[in-house]
């Protein structure tokens, strides 16, 4: 989802890609000269200090960055004949600090630290306002995230006890026959420990449902499953036989799901009071 900053009456788009936040430096350039944004960005890229800054940022944050190509640009930077576009920089060095986008939200986007550097080149005043507005946006997003988490947890806590009864959250105690059966799939090992059936058995019993049993699991089962995966990996490292791991994981699932139900019961009583 695109976010938009308002800095000195100039709208600034932002995006997130692969966990990295980017700010549209084309929008920043519009603050200076709205009809020559590409020229401003290319002129900024011609600067030797800019090339060095971009190169160091990539070396710190991008393991796939190409240092040889970077050195070539650094040697030419500052010469009257030197020209460089964002697309050339990205394609030549495999850079991730800049993004060149086409289409409706087209333009050049830069990782926030790089964008602040460009804003400083455009206007120190604009840079300071941009940083302040960006921080305000992050605080708003954090507050909204916290509110969403609290709201969702409140709903979950209220319904967990009835869900546990209705959806049979507590796995059944496995029989000795189930425990002695060696499963070829470690995924099915966890499925059996938590759900009491294999993936194939679930599909056979639910032919009308799409996906697999984990797609239809609730949040508590998924949390328990994640814990079991970590513990199973530890058991594997310890060379514990699969049949023993299955029994221990089943006991873990029973204990964890029991705790969830008990805690939810207490929280539900608090809500009702």
């Amino acid at each position: 989802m695109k976010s938009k900053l308002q800095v000195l009456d100039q709208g600034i788009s932002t995006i997130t890609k692969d966990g990295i936040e980017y700010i549209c430096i084309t929008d920043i350039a519009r603050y200076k000269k709205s009809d020559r944004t590409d020229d401003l960005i290319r002129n900024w890229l011609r600067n030797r200090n800019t090339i060095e800054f971009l190169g160091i940022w990539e070396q710190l944050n991008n393991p796939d960055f190409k240092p040889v190509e970077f050195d070539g640009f650094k040697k030419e930077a500052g010469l009257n004949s030197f020209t460089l576009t964002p697309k050339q920089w990205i394609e030549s060095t495999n850079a991730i600090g800049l993004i060149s986008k086409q289409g409706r939200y087209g333009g050049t986007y830069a990782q926030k630290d790089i964008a602040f550097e460009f804003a400083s080149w455009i206007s120190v005043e604009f840079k300071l306002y941009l940083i302040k507005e960006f921080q305000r946006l992050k605080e708003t997003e954090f507050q909204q995230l916290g509110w969403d988490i609290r709201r969702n947890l409140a709903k979950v806590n209220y319904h967990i006890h009835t869900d546990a009864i209705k959806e049979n959250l507590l796995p059944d105690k496995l029989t000795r026959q189930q425990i002695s059966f060696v499963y070829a799939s470690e995924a099915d090992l966890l499925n059996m420990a938590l759900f009491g059936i294999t993936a194939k058995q679930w599909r056979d019993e639910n032919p009308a449902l799409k996906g697999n049993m984990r797609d239809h699991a609730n949040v508590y089962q998924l949390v328990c499953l994640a814990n079991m995966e970590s513990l199973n990996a530890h058991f594997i490292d310890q060379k514990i036989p699969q049949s023993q791991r299955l029994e221990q994981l089943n006991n873990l699932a029973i204990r964890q799901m029991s705790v969830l139900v008990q805690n939810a019961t207490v929280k539900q009583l608090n809500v009702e009071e």
Side-chain angles (χ1 to χ4, degrees), residues 19-38:
I20 301 177
E21 294 178 308
Y22 294 87
I23 298 174
C24 184
I25 61 175
T26 299
D27 288 341
I28 295 175
R30 287 194 179 96
Y31 173 77
K32 190 74 172 180
K33 293 184 178 180
S34 60
D35 58 341
R36 294 185 57 199
T37 56
D38 290 344

Side-chain angles (χ1 to χ4, degrees), residues 74-109:
K74 187 167 66 172
K75 289 178 182 178
E76 296 182 21
L79 298 177
N80 292 334
S81 60
F82 178 65
T83 59
L84 183 64
T85 67
K87 187 175 181 181
Q88 289 172 330
W89 168 256
I90 295 167
E91 293 179 351
S92 298
T93 64
N94 201 31
I96 62 173
L98 294 180
I99 295 177
S100 183
K101 292 178 61 68
Q102 303 296 322
R104 182 181 177 186
Y105 298 114
T108 300
Y109 288 76

Side-chain angles (χ1 to χ4, degrees), residues 197-209 211-213:
I197 57 175
T198 66
K200 184 179 184 305
Q201 289 172 332
W202 184 89
R203 287 193 300 271
D204 291 342
E205 294 176 7
N206 301 276
L209 295 179
N212 56 48
M213 71 174 76

